[in-house]
Amino acid sequence: MSGTKTFDEKDLAEIEKLTKKYPEKQAAVLPVLWYAQDKFGHVDPSVQKLVAETMDLPEAHVYGVVTFYTQFYEKPMGKHVLDVCTCLSCQVCGGYDILNYLEDKLGIMAGETTPDGEFSIQSVECLGACGYAPMLQVTNDKYVNYLTYEKIDKLIDDLKSGKQPGFESNKMPQHENGTE
Ligand code: FES
């Protein structure tokens, strides 16, 4: 049932443009994979093969890049991918409690997708926002910081109703009671 994945002429022109920005084509694998993920929603083995063939690179090289970054999805994911940081700082601040709460709430484990295809959860390494722990990232985009169970409830409700988390989620604690 799964159709063969291909790049059309527009894609190939875009990929060539991306590749030309770098002295070596290997260096363009990241942006080309982003482009591919944007187009197909994930970079599963068939997409990795397509990228490798298109860039005339070994599949192993593309595979190595995809598997190094949790930001690349190796299989189809839910509409919203919740990357919960469980690295040291977030762990100390309750990252696993947040992860477990989210798993219970959505009825799936990290690495899984809800049956309706709305949400996937991943447990990820440090996202470089340790000062905002515990935190998560929504579909490689917004960070939601200083997580609490209430914030998780609101986030899920918002995402279900089509609302993305806003910048208020980045407020420092000293700003949360209205002081500068
Ligand atoms: S440990 Fe979670 S963002 Fe760094």
Side-chain angles (χ1 to χ4, degrees), residues 91-162:
Q91 198 180 116
V92 167
C93 295
Y96 275 110
D97 294 334
I98 292 296
L99 178 63
N100 294 338
Y101 182 77
L102 199 49
E103 287 174 335
D104 285 349
K105 186 173 176 71
L106 296 178
I108 54 170
M109 301 299 287
E112 296 179 346
T113 298
T114 52
D116 62 3
E118 278 292 300
F119 295 97
S120 297
I121 307 175
Q122 299 196 109
S123 166
V124 301
E125 296 295 322
C126 181
L127 289 164
C130 316
Y132 302 95
M135 56 80 64
L136 64 71
Q137 185 176 24
V138 181
T139 325
N140 289 331
D141 190 16
K142 296 266 169 59
Y143 281 13
V144 185
N145 304 316
Y146 306 121
L147 289 170
T148 59
Y149 297 154
E150 292 72 26
K151 277 195 178 176
I152 293 285
D153 290 344
K154 181 169 183 327
L155 175 69
I156 298 299
D157 287 348
D158 282 353
L159 290 173
K160 275 183 179 166
S161 60

Side-chain angles (χ1 to χ4, degrees), residues 85 87-90 126-130 135:
C85 177
C87 213
L88 190 60
S89 301
C90 287
C126 181
L127 289 164
C130 316
M135 56 80 64

Side-chain angles (χ1 to χ4, degrees), residues 18-29 55 57 61:
L18 289 169
T19 307
K20 278 191 177 149
K21 286 186 185 170
Y22 299 87
E24 291 182 8
K25 60 186 174 186
Q26 279 95 329
V29 167
M55 297 184 77
L57 288 171
H61 180 76

Side-chain angles (χ1 to χ4, degrees), residues 15 19 25-29 32-33 50-57 62:
I15 288 169
T19 307
K25 60 186 174 186
Q26 279 95 329
V29 167
V32 172
L33 281 169
L50 176 64
V51 168
E53 284 172 359
T54 306
M55 297 184 77
D56 196 20
L57 288 171
V62 176

